[in-house]
Amino acid sequence: MSDNLVCDPEVMCCTLNVLPNTPALLQKARLPLAVHVQPLKDIPNVPVVKVDTIVRCRLCRMYINPYVVIIDRHRWKCCMCSRFNDLPEDFSYDVKRKAYTNGRHRNEMNSSSYEVIASPEYIVGNLAVPVYFFLLDVSYNAIETGYLISLCQSVIEKLESLKTHDNVMVGVMTFHTSVHLYNIHHRYTKPIVYKLPDLENLFIPAPDGLLVNLKTSQSLFVDLLTNLPSMHKDNKEIGSCLGPALKLAYEILAPTGGRVSIFQTKIPDVGEGSLKSREDPNKRAGEVVQNLTAATDFYKKVALDGSSSHVAFDLFMLNTQYADLATLSVLSRYSGGCLFYFPNYHLTSNPVESSRFDETLDRYFSTNVGFEAVLRVRCTQGLSLQLFHGNGFVRSVDLLSLSSVTPDLSYAVQIQMEDSIEDTKVCIQAALLYTTNRFERRIRVHTICLPVSTYLSDVFAHANQMAITALVAKMAVDRSLNSSVADAREALTNVALDALNAYGENLSSGQRGGQLPCPFFLRALPLYILGLLKSIPFRLGVSTKLDDRVFMLDQFKTLPWTHIIKYIHPNFYPLHKLNDRNALYVDDRVICQPPLLPLSAGCMDRLGIYLLDDGFNMYLWLSSSVSRAFLRDVIGVQKFGDVLSGLFEFPHLDNVWSENVRNFIEYLQSTRSTYSPVILIRDDQTDRVMFYERLLEDRTSDVLNMSYIEFIRHLHSLVTY
Ligand SMILES: [Zn+2]
């Protein structure tokens, strides 16, 4: 069997690996049915197919895939609707072997994920030119953070990565209380600056010089980026007219579409779209969370206008004070963009966020980007799509329109079972039609095929508890926005309770044995649910900034399921137990692995060194009892008093211990697409709270945040059988 025959679960997976055969049985299981799909995930060597005729079912439009049946040289049977279809003449002819085969020599039949270069009928009008437009806050506040220096350097360094095609276009706009545009047409020797102070009457002063071909205008673009920080270094304007600037940016990009990268450091407070603070710092630890939804429709309208013209808004928030992310985040949500957040960013005084910003930009400018994309999901008869989760504009129940799409964006689709499944298996297929940044129209196709069972026990035995948890996290975000965080928490608890009730009801009292029975493949579900209840979006009674909460709510809607699980249930390693017993061999290097610990302080030894990795950050914990040998050989200091908390980089010291630790950390970084800074936590300093609050199994602070044992007892008291 080909390695690619089964779809990588990180690309596409279902909450249930065995489906019940009837709606009644699904109802009995009380588990959610959905697929997660990360359609553009970086897959090494994804097969690319170039054909004259793209083979699809004539009835249900499914793309051919490894799960169809090739009947003979002329026909194939669809695995979704069972229709017999014609095969193109050359499909089953293997040129290498000079013989007709069952089609298994073809990439479409050999890999659950493949990409087709689209034929002309998949191209409507002209192809989308890759367009990158920068919308930059240059208010006093913004300049003071120093972000502009870092950003401009990063763009200059990554220019070659942006030049994926001769057609790539770029443009820059800056704003504080007025808007500034830059004519960088190659016929000029220096950029020309247009200052537009009249926000009521903004206009496009130079139609052909604001969005220019990167290849021909590269020197002016670089000149502009090089000088932008010094041009604005003395800005004293404290206001921010993001709203009017956005509308003008949209006007400039509407004819071409493209990606607008917005860098914003404060709440917009000048002109249309102005916002006021809606956060009461005294209520951050309250049991009622207000103002999670947008204060005005202004930004949603801009986003939807953008979406209809294939303009995506990516928002980089670098605010120290409240900036109303609840209102601004709709820009990326409805246009298919991304939201990035660097709270308290400062180039020099906040090394953690500063390094995160640099690393994020590094990936942002070098990663694959798709433009003018649509994501369509199809499934076997009897199943129907119910709801999309993820950034984009839902055009119809099975079609999501995405102005831009990146490898890191993930989507989930809830599925309804309307009729009994007659077949012994079901197929679900996600197809992403997009224009690459190399100016090619392509379709990336992912297919999964799952068995169907008449037994509830099979459904439980093959439930994917991580995928279920990530799905209910996305549903709980909707519940928080449409109802309240308290309601979302109740719904989350009910997910664990429903699964336990459904399982327990089908056991005899003898089988239950007075315990709280839990199916093996759902045994971590209560722990993950507790992780969600204690996570920033859904926690109550713990001081949480509104923007922090809104950012994580947004992340839960767009993060891949694996990332959500790591965030709510971090990996916890005793670094002092790094040994080669379970070592991995990667690129001729031995990567020693420490064991994984339960997330409880009860598992810690004060002499030990611990690493807690939640996918966003790696917390390195040290106490004053740590051995001097470790301090000397790994941390590079002589005594605990010399250890500095905060961003930490392991020094290259010439000993095995140091090398093993560095190799392990590098290995962890290599397993993710987003950078996680190492943050050193000293147990004698107040920021240790950041570490201890992630120890999920322990009780934290108050009654709303139970320990794991207490939560299990709580569930046990609520089961109904
Ligand atoms: Zn079909």
Side-chain angles (χ1 to χ4, degrees):
M1 185 193 280
S2 156
D3 286 347
N4 300 328
L5 207 52
V6 177
C7 196
D8 174 354
E10 291 191 21
V11 171
M12 189 173 178
C13 81
C14 187
T15 51
L16 306 177
N17 287 318
V18 170
L19 260 64
N21 69 328
T22 62
L25 199 59
L26 178 62
Q27 179 73 25
K28 229 174 168 182
R30 286 184 237 172
L31 293 170
L33 177 57
V35 287
H36 294 276
V37 56
Q38 196 178 342
L40 207 56
K41 185 178 190 299
D42 295 325
I43 313 175
N45 307 320
V46 58
V48 179
V49 179
K50 189 166 188 182
V51 286
D52 295 332
T53 312
I54 296 174
V55 186
R56 302 176 67 178
C57 174
R58 288 183 60 194
L59 183 62
C60 72
R61 308 301 293 150
M62 182 198 74
Y63 293 85
I64 200 162
N65 62 69
Y67 304 106
V68 307
V69 179
I70 303 282
I71 306 293
D72 54 37
R73 273 165 52 180
H74 305 292
R75 286 183 313 154
W76 63 281
K77 187 182 171 192
C78 176
C79 55
M80 270 184 197
C81 70
S82 301
R83 183 193 163 101
F84 290 94
N85 289 281
D86 294 339
L87 261 189
E89 191 58 34
D90 58 348
F91 189 87
S92 47
Y93 187 71
D94 186 347
V95 180
K96 274 190 201 152
R97 289 168 56 194
K98 294 193 172 63
Y100 284 94
T101 72
N102 60 359
R104 289 291 162 202
H105 65 285
R106 298 193 63 102
N107 283 326
E108 306 97 306
M109 297 295 295
N110 245 326
S111 174
S112 286
S113 296
Y114 66 89
E115 196 157 85
V116 201
I117 297 175
S119 42
E121 71 257 33
Y122 292 84
I123 302 167
V124 181
N126 294 325
L127 273 191
V129 174
V131 174
Y132 304 105
F133 196 76
F134 296 90
L135 190 53
L136 311 175
D137 179 357
V138 291
S139 62
Y140 172 77
N141 194 55
I143 297 305
E144 205 277 327
T145 67
Y147 94 87
L148 197 58
I149 298 167
S150 192
L151 170 68
C152 290
Q153 262 173 11
S154 182
V155 180
I156 293 170
E157 281 165 18
K158 285 287 168 188
L159 219 49
E160 291 308 311
S161 309
L162 288 180
K163 279 193 332 199
T164 48
H165 193 270
D166 287 349
N167 285 343
V168 172
M169 298 180 82
V170 290
V172 178
M173 181 193 288
T174 57
F175 62 96
H176 40 62
T177 52
S178 57
V179 172
H180 326 120
L181 285 164
Y182 302 86
N183 188 333
I184 45 175
H185 196 281
H186 61 89
R187 66 172 166 267
Y188 300 107
T189 51
K190 279 275 172 203
I192 298 171
V193 186
Y194 305 101
K195 293 183 179 168
L196 308 175
D198 183 1
L199 300 179
E200 301 283 313
N201 297 297
L202 288 178
F203 62 99
I204 299 175
D208 66 344
L210 307 176
L211 203 57
V212 295
N213 182 290
L214 177 56
K215 196 178 169 195
T216 53
S217 292
Q218 181 169 338
S219 61
L220 260 79
F221 183 55
V222 171
D223 183 314
L224 175 63
L225 293 173
T226 309
N227 292 306
L228 214 48
S230 58
M231 281 161 75
H232 292 285
K233 71 178 178 8
D234 298 323
N235 283 358
K236 294 286 180 276
E237 303 284 351
I238 55 168
S240 166
C241 65
L242 175 65
L246 268 174
K247 284 182 90 169
L248 189 60
Y250 165 69
E251 255 184 73
I252 294 170
L253 264 78
T256 56
R259 180 168 90 173
V260 182
S261 310
I262 306 161
F263 292 80
Q264 178 75 11
T265 66
K266 67 185 296 275
I267 194 165
D269 52 3
V270 176
E272 219 178 342
S274 285
L275 301 170
K276 289 194 169 61
S277 177
R278 296 189 290 159
E279 184 184 38
D280 179 353
N282 297 321
K283 292 186 177 167
R284 282 180 187 157
E287 291 183 24
V288 178
V289 185
Q290 288 175 321
N291 300 320
L292 288 174
T293 51
T296 159
D297 278 346
F298 175 83
Y299 294 93
K300 182 176 178 181
K301 189 170 177 314
V302 172
L304 292 178
D305 286 348
S307 177
S308 64
S309 304
H310 305 295
V311 177
F313 297 101
D314 290 343
L315 186 58
F316 291 76
M317 292 301 300
L318 303 117
N319 52 305
T320 300
Q321 305 289 328
Y322 173 76
D324 200 349
L325 237 61
T327 300
L328 298 181
S329 61
V330 300
L331 278 170
S332 48
R333 188 178 314 147
Y334 291 106
S335 69
C338 307
L339 174 65
F340 303 94
Y341 181 44
F342 310 90
N344 304 314
Y345 173 88
H346 194 278
L347 179 63
T348 51
S349 64
N350 188 344
V352 170
E353 292 308 321
S354 176
S355 69
R356 197 195 309 278
F357 182 65
D358 290 348
E359 295 284 344
T360 303
L361 290 180
D362 193 55
R363 178 159 175 82
Y364 182 71
F365 292 131
S366 50
T367 193
N368 189 11
V369 192
F371 293 95
E372 283 194 14
V374 285
L375 175 68
R376 193 185 285 274
V377 178
R378 296 182 171 85
C379 42
T380 297
Q381 280 178 342
L383 301 177
S384 70
L385 303 187
Q386 195 180 5
L387 187 69
F388 267 107
H389 296 274
N391 285 359
F393 177 64
V394 181
R395 263 207 241 159
S396 63
V397 73
D398 61 347
L399 187 70
L400 195 63
S401 172
L402 313 162
S403 301
S404 80
V405 56
T406 69
D408 299 333
L409 283 174
S410 181
Y411 308 86
V413 196
Q414 280 176 248
I415 296 174
Q416 255 176 336
M417 189 179 282
E418 291 177 327
D419 292 314
S420 299
I421 309 286
E422 302 301 333
D423 206 340
T424 54
K425 60 182 179 3
V426 296
C427 278
I428 304 169
Q429 185 175 74
L432 180 80
L433 174 65
Y434 72 107
T435 304
T436 69
N437 53 8
R438 297 180 191 281
F439 210 48
E440 225 176 14
R441 199 75 172 147
R442 289 188 172 202
I443 306 153
R444 192 173 282 201
V445 180
H446 307 289
T447 313
I448 55 173
C449 182
L450 303 163
V452 173
S453 174
T454 54
Y455 298 105
L456 193 59
S457 54
D458 284 345
V459 178
F460 278 124
H462 297 91
N464 181 339
Q465 55 189 346
M466 294 188 189
I468 289 171
T469 306
L471 190 265
V472 298
K474 292 171 194 290
M475 293 164 73
V477 173
D478 289 351
R479 184 68 76 100
S480 301
L481 302 184
N482 300 331
S483 178
S484 68
V485 174
D487 275 2
R489 287 173 62 88
E490 191 183 335
L492 285 170
T493 307
N494 285 338
V495 169
L497 200 55
D498 278 353
L500 294 171
N501 274 331
Y503 184 69
E505 280 164 9
N506 287 283
L507 298 177
S508 66
S509 56
Q511 285 171 311
R512 288 182 214 137
Q515 301 292 315
L516 183 63
C518 185
F520 184 75
F521 279 95
L522 290 174
R523 68 194 183 284
L525 187 64
L527 184 60
Y528 292 151
I529 295 293
L530 182 64
L532 285 173
L533 293 173
K534 289 186 176 184
S535 67
I536 286 177
F538 307 119
R539 69 188 187 184
L540 290 177
V542 181
S543 183
T544 307
K545 285 185 178 177
L546 195 51
D547 280 346
D548 292 357
R549 191 187 295 273
V550 169
F551 172 67
M552 284 312 301
L553 282 166
D554 185 275
Q555 293 292 287
F556 275 14
K557 286 286 265 189
T558 56
L559 283 179
W561 62 275
T562 46
H563 201 148
I564 292 176
I565 295 299
K566 187 178 271 184
Y567 175 68
I568 59 167
H569 187 268
N571 290 339
F572 189 30
Y573 305 101
L575 274 191
H576 53 286
K577 292 191 177 167
L578 206 59
N579 60 47
D580 53 13
R581 202 176 306 149
N582 300 311
L584 299 174
Y585 295 87
V586 182
D587 298 333
D588 295 334
R589 279 193 312 171
V590 179
I591 314 287
C592 292
Q593 301 281 314
L596 269 172
L597 291 177
L599 288 157
S600 170
C603 301
M604 293 172 68
D605 176 345
R606 289 196 63 76
L607 301 174
I609 306 110
Y610 296 89
L611 187 80
L612 190 143
D613 173 16
D614 73 3
F616 285 90
N617 296 303
M618 293 190 206
Y619 297 103
L620 176 69
W621 180 94
L622 294 178
S623 83
S624 56
S625 310
V626 66
S627 80
R628 286 206 163 215
F630 182 82
L631 291 176
R632 184 191 61 228
D633 292 347
V634 181
I635 304 293
V637 296
Q638 293 305 317
K639 58 182 193 301
F640 184 69
D642 296 338
V643 175
L644 295 176
S645 59
L647 183 69
F648 184 74
E649 198 170 327
F650 286 94
H652 283 245
L653 301 174
D654 190 16
N655 64 74
V656 175
W657 203 355
S658 168
E659 190 181 334
N660 284 346
V661 171
R662 279 184 284 111
N663 282 347
F664 178 61
I665 302 286
E666 275 171 30
Y667 163 74
L668 292 180
Q669 293 283 11
S670 73
T671 59
R672 67 201 65 201
S673 58
T674 49
Y675 162 76
S676 309
V678 176
I679 301 174
L680 194 147
I681 304 280
R682 279 175 55 138
D683 197 45
D684 60 349
Q685 294 187 349
T686 50
D687 59 5
R688 66 181 183 275
V689 178
M690 285 197 290
F691 174 83
Y692 284 109
E693 71 180 13
R694 307 312 312 278
L695 296 179
L696 176 59
E697 298 195 21
D698 296 342
R699 166 189 267 265
T700 41
S701 66
D702 65 276
V703 286
L704 283 167
N705 296 290
M706 295 180 231
S707 71
Y708 181 48
I709 298 291
E710 288 168 331
F711 186 59
I712 291 292
R713 283 195 198 121
H714 176 63
L715 291 175
H716 204 164
S717 72
L718 296 174
V719 290
T720 51
Y721 50 79

